[in-house]
Amino acid sequence: MTTQPEQALENNLMQQLQQLGYQKVLIPDEAALLKNLKSQLEKHNKTQLSEKEFAQILNALNKGSVFERAKILRDRVDYTDESGEARTIELINQIHWCQNEFQVAQQVTMEGKYKNRYDVTILINGLPLVQVELKRRGLELKEAFKQTKRYGLHSYEAGQGLFQYIQLFVISNGVNTKYYANSSFNQRSFKQTFYWTDTKNKLITQLSEFTDIFLEKCHLSKMITKYIVLNETAKSLMVLRPYQYYATEAIVERVKTSPKYGYIWHTTGSGKTLTSFKTAQILTNLPQVYKVVFVVDRKDLDTQTSQEFNSFSKGSIDATSNTKKLVEQLTGNDKLIVTTIQKLANAVNKNAYKSKMEQLQDKRIVFIFDECHRSQFGKTHADIKDFFQKCQMFGFTGTPIFEENAGSNEFGKRTTTMLFGDCLHKYVITDAIRDENVLKFSVEYISTFKKKDHIFDINVEAIDEEEVMNAPIRLNNVVDYIINHHGRKTHNRTFTAILCVSSVPVLIEYYKLFQSKKQAGEHQLRVATIFSYGANVDLIDDDIDELGAVGDDDLPMAAEEKYLAPYGNNSQKHPREFLDDFIKDYNREFGTNFSTKDSQSFYNYYNDIAKRVKNKQVDILLVVNMFLTGFDSKNLNTLYVDKNLKYHGLIQAYSRTNRILDELKSQGNIVAFRNLKSATDQAIALFSNLDAKDEIIMAPYEEYVQKFNEAYIELLTITPSVDAVNDLPDEEAQLEFIKAFRELMRLKNVLGTFTEFTFEDLSMPEQSFEDYKSKYLDLYERSKGSQQKEKVSILNDIDFELELIHRDEINVTYILKLLANLKDAKPEDQEKQKKAIIDLMVGEAQLRSKRELIEKFIREQLPQIQDTENIPEEFAIFWTKERMDALKNLCESEGLDSNGLEKVIGDFIYTEKEPLRDDIIGLLKQKPALKERKSIAERIKDKILGFVETFINGISEAA
């Protein structure tokens, strides 16, 4: 036997858990599960429950979603005892987390839509709180992950729904082991599965070692009770990653045992807000801590952090709108406060607050500084330290200040260590990339001085003279490059980008170039901008130490009235006037009404532009310094750079692009129009090490070409021709083909972002790629069909990563253009073009559901149309009729109320949330029996989703 079977893996795990002190319990079905729950709750609560009392508890437990049940788990359950007295029962001890009852069961069987047997279930006080799903060695972890998702659809809700209380999943193939929090079906993503590590970030992947450490009874219970966060906004569970856990534990331990300070070095994009929230939450519960104050350095982060903290724990904080409010909170009952460093400085320095603040001087207040590399290097840090004589300070940063990158002020050079003491935990960018918590960077250096073979020369000239760099012809070349390659970099505007430039005057010229070219019809990109301004705007230096932290206020705000005079001379507009013009463009584009008339209006504009960048409504955001630090958007994947960056400024700016999203977003793209190679190397050396450069920066184009060609050879060994896919003998062989072609798609996805990419560089012809892709999609369609059957196909658990195939530019509008060409083609060419259209629809995942209808239109309607200009209108009429007929058929076949169905479909299209079972049952003219409702609702929901996919998605612009 070459691989360890799942059964042996399972048996070994059961034995190991028993050695760790878990009691093995036999639970073949739900009846045994309920019986065991009753006895364990009695044991844990040191009481006896009558059947009537237990029935009340079960009734209270069987309510709500996974999220709502997680809240029930952390509360006490009310019931009335036999004598009529109100009592409560504890489900889990959260204070003394080791003092719970721990059991383990094997092959628990539950029957819902289908019958499922779960590999290993860990029960705490009788409730199934951890599910372990195992696959034999050699299989992908994604298969185990998808199997747990399938259980969620098929059986977790069955009976009393106790498996909806699962808090954590563990998936393993013996060699690799990961954990993740339970959530609703649509919220679970493989991107949110994590490896455990030791304190030095060394991965612990072997199941046996993971079990000894992570599944040890006290540690597991601690993770569930202390380190799962219930996100109120998303209604989902979040579990801390190992480095977040270790950082929190380190700060809490220091507060308990020492008055010393410390800082956490966690790379940008690693989730510092969640870590700092959990740290603050735990610290507020320590009796020796008077208050915890979380300090940010910009007003927008104050609001953003308050919202995020309150999403983690509803009502946990009330944002400090001004210094007076902050003083009230500091002297009041609030245990956790979020504020800006500017308000904190005002509170300790201004005489108006002195009498109230003096009472706090000897209190033990813990300050947690976010992004402590930015604003902590002036007088404010010393003022806070001197005023709060018993305070303790902790900093979080992704890019600490060392001797090499320290700026100077009147206090001299100040490093993070000088201000905060030693580093309590470190998690650098190489760790995050290895753990797939952030993406690598793909850096291209583009010269804008000469052209070569229709592509701008990659060999960068080391020219830094301002006159040359800001020359109109060069700026024009940069804009032309961006227009020509933006689609390639952002996957046809699926993602967004930032262009950062050296100064406000240069930004103004760039913006005017984009606008003039848009008016000339050279592009349709939505370009927006924002920048600070003031009397000294011409002195803004592109090497200011703190990106995005210019000015003394919370956020760079509107200039005072005295700065409204024309800038320089009467013939030259003030930058503020330019910005007002640019904001007018923005208002016309989005129907808004912003201006720079006062600070609040400018701040509202700032927030709106941030929201629209995150929502992909702005294609390119043009900035000098703002948004280059502290701004997180998963939909942003490209940074165009035309300014000098270095050290922490460079890493912070680059890191705007590398948030994890999906398979399509394979890297953060950096397009540098200046020679930043040396600066990039220096920054990597400082914040990781230069030897790790290949782990941070993606390989050059030629290496990916070589990888693609090698993967193509591997594909040919499995399926030597396209037709060979048809002859694959079984699902195991099909699985090998799927994995091989999926690897080709991943590599093609990366190659497509390189400026020089062409299929001619690959050994695989483009047509062959498209042909194999069609076969790949055939297998996907087959696996979808098998999901309706009780017999489970192994292809069900494979992630086909269809996002790598979907292309927005191939939609019904595009097909209509091809139909017009078909109508005008010569008779001898029509059949060829018709086949090309059909082949295109076969190759596009989004169009496959529309294929029969479009073929019907070609066959029945197209010959009757005389003028090709009428095709869109005739298609719209045809499509509307077919849609109404399909809606009518759906109503008749399932006995649905037509008006109600249209409302449910409309709500789904608007909210993108699948209709709930109760909403679907409400559509039925004749209500089914309770036991039939689940299967009927699932069937109708599938039909509704299919209707939307066929008739709505990708159609709106065309019909």
Side-chain angles (χ1 to χ4, degrees), residues 17 22 90 115 233 258 285 352 362 423 666 683 717 729 774 787 850 909 927:
L17 288 171
Y22 287 85
E90 181 183 79
K115 184 183 283 189
T233 302
S258 165
N285 291 321
D362 62 348
C423 179
S666 52
T717 62
S774 294
Q787 288 174 16
K850 304 166 179 54
I909 293 166
K927 298 296 181 282

Side-chain angles (χ1 to χ4, degrees), residues 184-438:
S184 68
F185 181 83
N186 291 329
Q187 288 172 323
R188 263 182 263 160
S189 164
F190 191 71
K191 297 286 184 185
Q192 293 299 312
T193 62
F194 315 122
Y195 290 108
W196 192 250
T197 70
D198 64 13
T199 55
K200 302 291 186 184
N201 305 311
K202 182 177 178 292
L203 292 178
I204 296 167
T205 63
Q206 289 281 350
L207 178 59
S208 58
E209 189 181 359
F210 176 90
T211 300
D212 278 339
I213 297 168
F214 189 88
L215 296 182
E216 187 276 323
K217 292 188 303 180
C218 284
H219 181 269
L220 181 64
S221 189
K222 188 179 189 180
M223 289 299 296
I224 290 171
T225 56
K226 287 183 68 177
Y227 289 108
I228 287 179
V229 174
L230 277 57
N231 188 319
E232 288 282 354
T233 302
K235 302 292 183 218
S236 66
L237 277 61
M238 304 169 70
V239 62
L240 267 64
R241 297 171 169 102
Y243 58 87
Q244 295 173 313
Y245 167 85
Y246 289 125
T248 303
E249 289 276 294
I251 293 178
V252 172
E253 183 63 23
R254 175 145 293 188
V255 172
K256 284 180 175 178
T257 60
S258 165
K260 293 200 303 184
Y261 297 1
Y263 74 93
I264 303 295
W265 175 5
H266 282 184
T267 192
T268 305
S270 60
K272 290 191 292 295
T273 303
L274 180 59
T275 314
S276 54
F277 164 76
K278 179 46 71 175
T279 303
Q281 187 185 52
I282 293 173
L283 291 177
T284 56
N285 291 321
L286 296 181
Q288 61 265 50
V289 174
Y290 182 68
K291 287 183 189 293
V292 179
V293 182
F294 188 80
V295 187
V296 296
D297 67 350
R298 298 209 312 262
K299 184 178 178 182
D300 62 307
L301 292 179
D302 186 9
T303 306
Q304 177 184 312
T305 305
S306 299
Q307 290 171 346
E308 289 179 355
F309 273 29
N310 278 326
S311 79
F312 299 148
S313 180
K314 202 170 187 177
S316 62
I317 55 161
D318 181 14
T320 54
S321 53
N322 54 47
T323 305
K324 183 182 176 185
K325 175 79 171 176
L326 170 62
V327 172
E328 288 174 5
Q329 290 182 341
L330 284 170
T331 55
N333 295 322
D334 300 83
K335 283 281 283 184
L336 176 57
I337 300 166
V338 174
T339 191
T340 63
I341 194 166
Q342 291 84 4
K343 296 190 192 86
L344 191 56
N346 289 339
V348 299
N349 288 322
K350 291 196 173 180
N351 289 329
Y353 308 114
K354 189 175 181 182
S355 60
K356 288 187 176 181
M357 291 291 292
E358 281 178 341
Q359 61 182 290
L360 301 172
Q361 287 187 286
D362 62 348
K363 301 290 186 185
R364 190 170 184 196
I365 298 176
V366 176
F367 291 95
I368 298 175
F369 291 92
D370 185 37
E371 302 293 359
C372 67
H373 60 274
R374 289 211 293 258
S375 296
Q376 292 309 298
F377 296 89
K379 181 173 178 290
T380 306
H381 183 275
D383 289 345
I384 295 168
K385 183 178 175 181
D386 291 343
F387 185 87
F388 297 100
Q389 293 165 12
K390 291 188 177 180
C391 76
Q392 215 166 347
M393 292 188 180
F394 298 97
F396 279 81
T397 179
T399 49
I401 303 300
F402 300 111
E403 191 72 31
E404 296 92 327
N405 63 317
S408 292
N409 54 29
E410 65 268 34
F411 299 99
K413 282 195 171 187
R414 309 292 291 275
T415 66
T416 304
T417 299
M418 288 166 61
L419 293 172
F420 287 96
D422 52 333
C423 179
L424 299 181
H425 193 260
K426 185 162 72 170
Y427 184 78
V428 300
I429 190 169
T430 44
D431 297 320
I433 290 171
R434 177 207 61 202
D435 294 346
E436 298 182 346
N437 287 326
V438 298

Side-chain angles (χ1 to χ4, degrees), residues 604-859:
N604 291 342
Y605 175 59
Y606 177 97
N607 281 333
D608 195 75
I609 212 168
K611 182 179 74 175
R612 293 188 192 276
V613 171
K614 289 181 179 181
N615 291 341
K616 302 193 292 188
Q617 293 171 281
V618 171
D619 291 307
I620 299 173
L621 178 63
L622 188 49
V623 300
V624 178
N625 292 309
M626 295 170 79
F627 284 88
L628 295 184
T629 184
F631 176 69
D632 288 344
S633 172
K634 291 182 178 181
N635 289 316
L636 197 153
N637 84 325
T638 299
L639 178 72
Y640 301 110
V641 185
D642 189 21
K643 67 181 297 178
N644 295 328
L645 296 168
K646 61 184 181 182
Y647 293 128
H648 54 283
L650 182 143
I651 294 293
Q652 288 284 339
Y654 282 16
S655 295
R656 296 315 99 207
T657 68
N658 73 338
R659 300 298 187 271
I660 294 280
L661 181 61
D662 56 18
E663 298 300 336
L664 189 63
K665 188 178 179 184
S666 52
Q667 75 266 352
N669 294 318
I670 310 299
V671 181
F673 299 108
R674 298 190 178 210
N675 191 351
L676 299 180
K677 189 174 186 310
S678 176
T680 300
D681 288 349
Q682 289 172 6
I684 290 171
L686 185 62
F687 296 112
S688 176
N689 66 76
L690 199 54
D691 294 336
K693 183 180 175 182
D694 290 343
E695 298 174 41
I696 298 170
I697 306 295
M698 294 186 70
Y701 173 71
E702 293 74 18
E703 283 193 32
Y704 281 98
V705 169
Q706 183 180 343
K707 286 180 181 179
F708 184 95
N709 291 339
E710 289 169 358
Y712 179 43
I713 292 169
E714 179 65 25
L715 178 75
L716 292 177
T717 62
I718 299 167
T719 48
S721 67
V722 174
D723 290 339
V725 180
N726 303 333
D727 302 326
L728 293 170
D730 52 33
E731 286 192 340
E732 293 284 352
Q734 291 171 357
L735 187 60
E736 291 308 307
F737 164 74
I738 289 166
K739 289 179 181 178
F741 187 74
R742 187 179 63 185
E743 181 61 20
L744 277 180
M745 289 199 305
R746 289 170 176 169
L747 291 166
K748 159 75 168 49
N749 182 52
V750 175
L751 281 165
T753 64
F754 283 92
T755 304
E756 63 264 52
F757 172 67
T758 169
F759 247 102
E760 292 173 5
D761 293 340
L762 306 179
S763 56
M764 184 183 200
E766 186 171 9
Q767 188 58 53
S768 294
F769 184 84
E770 295 298 323
D771 292 344
Y772 274 109
K773 186 170 77 176
S774 294
K775 296 296 182 185
Y776 183 84
L777 284 169
D778 286 341
L779 289 174
Y780 169 70
E781 295 289 346
R782 193 180 306 171
S783 76
K784 271 207 315 186
S786 71
Q787 288 174 16
Q788 309 305 318
K789 305 168 189 171
E790 188 158 351
K791 183 179 182 301
V792 176
S793 163
I794 63 169
L795 301 186
N796 283 358
D797 294 331
I798 289 297
D799 188 345
F800 281 80
E801 297 177 11
L802 290 190
E803 58 264 42
L804 298 177
I805 294 177
H806 176 67
R807 295 182 298 185
D808 284 341
E809 80 275 22
I810 307 291
N811 54 21
V812 174
T813 305
Y814 181 73
I815 293 292
L816 291 182
K817 292 176 185 175
L818 297 183
L819 291 178
N821 295 337
L822 171 62
K823 180 71 180 172
D824 290 338
K826 298 174 184 176
E828 60 269 25
D829 292 335
Q830 284 190 353
E831 200 57 38
K832 185 178 177 183
Q833 288 192 22
K834 182 178 173 182
K835 182 180 182 302
I837 293 171
I838 301 302
D839 287 346
L840 180 62
M841 288 189 291
V842 169
E844 291 301 321
Q846 190 190 26
L847 291 173
R848 282 193 155 210
S849 63
K850 304 166 179 54
R851 176 181 171 181
E852 285 185 20
L853 288 167
I854 292 175
E855 283 182 325
K856 182 178 179 181
F857 180 78
I858 293 172
R859 186 174 63 252

Side-chain angles (χ1 to χ4, degrees), residues 25 343 397-398 541 589 592 610 799 864 938:
V25 58
K343 296 190 192 86
T397 179
D541 178 47
E589 178 79 37
T592 51
D799 188 345
Q864 313 302 323
E938 285 293 326

Side-chain angles (χ1 to χ4, degrees), residues 566-601:
Y567 176 72
N569 56 60
N570 291 334
S571 64
Q572 188 174 1
K573 287 168 73 173
H574 187 284
R576 177 172 183 170
E577 295 173 278
F578 277 113
L579 182 56
D580 264 325
D581 290 343
F582 301 161
I583 293 175
K584 286 175 186 174
D585 292 338
Y586 184 92
N587 290 336
R588 280 191 293 272
E589 178 79 37
F590 297 111
T592 51
N593 188 31
F594 300 111
S595 71
T596 67
K597 66 180 181 180
D598 56 47
S599 294
Q600 190 58 48
S601 183

